[in-house]
Amino acid sequence: MEELLCIGCGAKIQSENKEAAGYTPRSSVEKATESDSDLYCQRCFRLRHYNDIVDVHISDDEFLTLLHEVGDSQALVVNVVDIFDLNGSVIPGLSRFVSGNDVLLVGNKKDILPKSVKDSKVTQWLRERAHEEGLRPVDVLLTSAQNHYAIKELIERIEELRAGRDVYVVGVTNVGKSTLINAVISEITGDKNVITTSRFPGTTLDKIEIPLDDGSYIFDTPGIIHRHQMAHYLSAKDLKYVSPKKEIKPKTYQLNPEQTLFLGGLARFDFIKGDKQGFTAYFDNNLDLRRTKLAGADDFYDKHQGDLLVPPHAKDLAEFPALVRHEFTVTDKIDIVYSGLGWIRVKASSSQPVKVAAWAPDGVGVVIRKALI
């Protein structure tokens, strides 16, 4: 059978994997073949007709090649990260590839954080984490692609910082990068005073080119799969628990020493030693949290994972990693962050330290930070 290629991006047409480049429903392939008409993959079709950008997944090697291209160019790099899952959305080694290009760090999904979280604290935290990764962003902005929050400000800042250069938008999967680009296009299309784009952006296999009115481009790059994202261990049905769409509502649990809090079947928090106190949990509003005694916590997890403790559900347990224990002695007011899931606020003092343990799936990070609230 003759190999079919998308005339928009050059990807090989295939109907098996919706997440991969070149995906086209079989019915569309048959229709185009019968009528001898132009054949676009679904990604290019939606882009041309609806200005709707859909991310595709590429391999690590392909992504590294793309990052080298960024480093070889004179451009502004817009690095989109997920505020709710910063650890899981950091691109390893990005600082080595930007090669002196300016980086604008964009923290997306601000709308998920409780309103009591101050923007200045989040911005400072993002900047500190970026510095730990070797990045020195020229600015840090907070946005919500879903709610179009601060999109106009983002466009204006990009236009100011790019100074006539191309723009590369980079990010790992699930950070909302494509939604953000769509929000930018929507804003631009309605108001052409800042930046104008072609109604039908061009595409290439490895990136989407959005032409600007001065001959430069915004390049929307595919998302790299980050191995430490909680989302990669869950079924599509359970992703809602790690990708909240609404503002999370904190819940406070009064715990005695030697008590455990299960975060569904995804993770666990042990209060080992210290004075009785309230621990405030910041997770998706639908995630079921259950309290039990530390002494029987292992047996409780083994017995109830997949039924009382969900997600993951029983049919998905074979693919779910074992939980790994991380112990902390706390002497301040800090957050214990489960990458891609949420966090628990712990209060202590140097005179009365608190000992806790956090359990997360093998490969998923657990870190501590100064309390955001």
Side-chain angles (χ1 to χ4, degrees):
M1 185 176 177
E2 181 185 359
E3 185 178 83
L4 299 176
L5 302 177
C6 170
I7 67 169
C9 66
K12 181 180 177 181
I13 296 295
Q14 53 90 17
S15 302
E16 288 73 43
N17 185 355
K18 289 185 178 181
E19 303 294 329
Y23 175 76
T24 311
R26 194 172 301 278
S27 57
S28 299
V29 177
E30 293 172 351
K31 183 177 179 181
T33 303
E34 290 172 1
S35 61
D36 196 27
S37 58
D38 293 337
L39 182 58
Y40 289 92
C41 68
Q42 188 174 74
R43 174 173 174 249
C44 290
F45 181 86
R46 294 197 62 81
L47 181 61
R48 290 182 65 82
H49 293 280
Y50 304 108
N51 272 354
D52 182 18
I53 291 176
V54 179
D55 209 359
V56 296
H57 300 171
I58 59 176
S59 70
D60 292 2
D61 288 343
E62 289 171 321
F63 194 78
L64 288 176
T65 299
L66 195 56
L67 287 180
H68 277 296
E69 181 182 323
V70 175
D72 291 339
S73 64
Q74 293 292 320
L76 171 68
V77 179
V78 178
N79 182 200
V80 183
V81 296
D82 181 351
I83 294 174
F84 197 63
D85 184 17
L86 180 59
N87 280 26
S89 58
V90 169
I91 298 175
L94 179 61
S95 60
R96 299 196 307 272
F97 294 101
V98 295
S99 299
N101 283 326
D102 292 333
V103 176
L104 172 61
L105 187 63
V106 178
N108 192 31
K109 304 185 183 180
K110 178 191 178 298
D111 53 309
I112 302 303
L113 299 180
K115 290 185 174 62
S116 53
V117 179
K118 295 181 179 179
D119 285 5
S120 58
K121 269 199 169 184
V122 179
T123 300
Q124 180 61 27
W125 164 57
L126 289 176
R127 193 179 293 277
E128 289 173 358
R129 283 293 289 114
H131 286 184
E132 290 172 11
E133 295 292 330
L135 284 176
R136 294 292 185 269
V138 292
D139 203 357
V140 179
L141 293 182
L142 306 182
T143 65
S144 168
Q146 181 174 271
N147 294 343
H148 282 230
Y149 172 82
I151 298 301
K152 181 170 283 190
E153 291 86 341
L154 173 62
I155 294 170
E156 292 172 349
R157 196 71 179 111
I158 288 175
E159 181 65 5
E160 179 183 346
L161 290 173
R162 76 182 185 89
R165 295 174 293 171
D166 292 334
V167 179
Y168 281 85
V169 185
V170 299
V172 305
T173 57
N174 299 319
V175 298
K177 179 174 62 66
S178 292
T179 307
L180 188 69
I181 289 283
N182 286 330
V184 167
I185 289 177
S186 175
E187 184 71 40
I188 291 171
T189 304
D191 179 4
K192 297 185 179 181
N193 293 329
V194 183
I195 308 174
T196 59
T197 72
S198 163
R199 168 150 171 72
F200 302 118
T203 65
T204 66
L205 179 59
D206 58 357
K207 59 186 177 295
I208 293 173
E209 302 174 355
I210 305 170
L212 305 176
D213 59 355
D214 62 359
S216 301
Y217 290 87
I218 293 179
F219 295 108
D220 177 45
T221 64
I224 185 176
I225 295 176
H226 199 306
R227 308 302 170 192
H228 301 299
Q229 287 180 297
M230 177 80 77
H232 295 305
Y233 300 110
L234 297 180
S235 66
K237 179 182 177 182
D238 289 336
L239 281 178
K240 62 184 178 181
Y241 295 104
V242 298
S243 301
K245 301 298 183 186
K246 297 180 180 179
E247 178 187 346
I248 53 178
K249 304 296 183 184
K251 299 174 184 175
T252 299
Y253 294 83
Q254 296 294 329
L255 297 183
N256 292 308
E258 300 190 9
Q259 281 192 303
T260 288
L261 197 61
F262 279 102
L263 318 174
L266 296 175
R268 162 180 159 185
F269 174 80
D270 296 342
F271 180 22
I272 301 170
K273 187 177 180 181
D275 293 334
K276 178 181 178 179
Q277 66 166 281
F279 294 89
T280 304
Y282 298 82
F283 299 97
D284 182 86
N285 302 329
N286 296 310
L287 184 65
D288 188 22
L289 276 59
R290 290 179 180 267
R291 186 170 17 194
T292 189
K293 292 182 179 179
L294 175 58
D298 290 346
D299 291 338
F300 186 82
Y301 184 74
D302 292 340
K303 182 178 180 180
H304 294 295
Q305 188 190 24
D307 51 59
L308 278 180
L309 301 176
V310 291
H313 292 83
K315 62 183 177 63
D316 302 315
L317 290 182
E319 304 295 326
F320 194 71
L323 299 187
V324 175
R325 185 177 185 272
H326 308 262
E327 186 175 300
F328 303 95
T329 298
V330 180
T331 58
D332 202 350
K333 187 177 178 182
I334 57 101
D335 293 330
I336 294 185
V337 183
Y338 298 78
S339 185
L341 186 62
W343 70 91
I344 293 177
R345 186 180 64 200
V346 181
K347 292 180 290 185
S349 66
S350 56
S351 60
Q352 291 182 306
V354 168
K355 182 179 287 187
V356 298
W359 300 67
D362 190 11
V364 172
V366 175
V367 298
I368 60 173
R369 69 180 178 212
K370 288 183 179 179
L372 285 182
I373 302 176

